[in-house]
Amino acid sequence: WSDDRTGNSEVFYKKLDNMGNTVTNDTQLTNAIYHSRYSDIAIDSYNNIHIVWYDERNGILNPEIYYKKLSNNGNILINDTRLTIATRKSLMPQIAIDSNNNIHLVWYDDRTSAYAYEIYYKKLDNSGNTLINDTRLTFSSYAVLPKLAIGLNNSVHIVWADVLNDIY
């Protein structure tokens, strides 16, 4: 989650056991100049924790998507890694992990126009290396709020809202 206890919005992590008892106390995962927000989390088959968020460390007008990987006990395995390099805003990342422990990401950004958001997809291996570069999925004018899920045979299912054309 993100909260402002440090003066900026930062991403925090906490681990609970299956009875809701705290295993790992609140741990600050980011240290942004401005804000880190809208995180998403997925767990691989090794119980490693994969987290994505958008971060304004490159400027308020140019938030980018970042990634971090933690071990099951909260140790950092891969530190903050910038995943997008767009000329404008990259926002609201979502993450899912397939049965091969590959990482799938979707988000929306306005790199093609200051007046249009599009949905993008990226695939990483479990070490954070890019397998599929940023791939534009929509050709709309206002596609936002993507969600993704992994199906049988590691098929990737993505939905989003096209708010300008009222398609949800």
Side-chain angles (χ1 to χ4, degrees), residues 39-144:
S39 55
D40 196 26
I41 188 170
I43 310 295
D44 65 25
S45 66
Y46 306 111
N47 283 324
N48 292 316
I49 302 133
H50 302 263
I51 301 167
V52 292
W53 68 94
Y54 84 74
D55 196 304
E56 295 174 348
R57 71 181 75 183
N58 304 301
I60 296 172
L61 299 177
N62 188 27
E64 298 290 351
I65 307 302
Y66 280 80
Y67 164 77
K68 182 175 262 180
K69 181 179 176 181
L70 307 174
S71 69
N72 188 39
N73 60 10
N75 293 324
I76 296 171
L77 299 175
I78 298 175
N79 212 343
D80 297 12
T81 302
R82 184 175 170 179
L83 296 181
T84 57
I85 300 174
T87 55
R88 294 188 177 90
K89 300 176 189 94
S90 299
L91 302 166
M92 307 298 282
Q94 297 288 301
I95 188 170
I97 298 178
D98 66 28
S99 64
N100 295 322
N101 291 306
N102 291 314
I103 302 158
H104 302 267
L105 303 160
V106 292
W107 68 93
Y108 66 92
D109 73 33
D110 61 352
R111 70 180 73 182
T112 59
S113 167
Y115 306 103
Y117 283 114
E118 301 293 348
I119 305 300
Y120 285 83
Y121 167 81
K122 183 177 205 126
K123 182 178 178 181
L124 310 172
D125 68 16
N126 200 263
S127 297
N129 300 306
T130 300
L131 297 175
I132 297 176
N133 288 319
D134 298 8
T135 303
R136 184 175 168 184
L137 300 180
T138 58
F139 295 88
S140 176
S141 52
Y142 210 78
V144 295

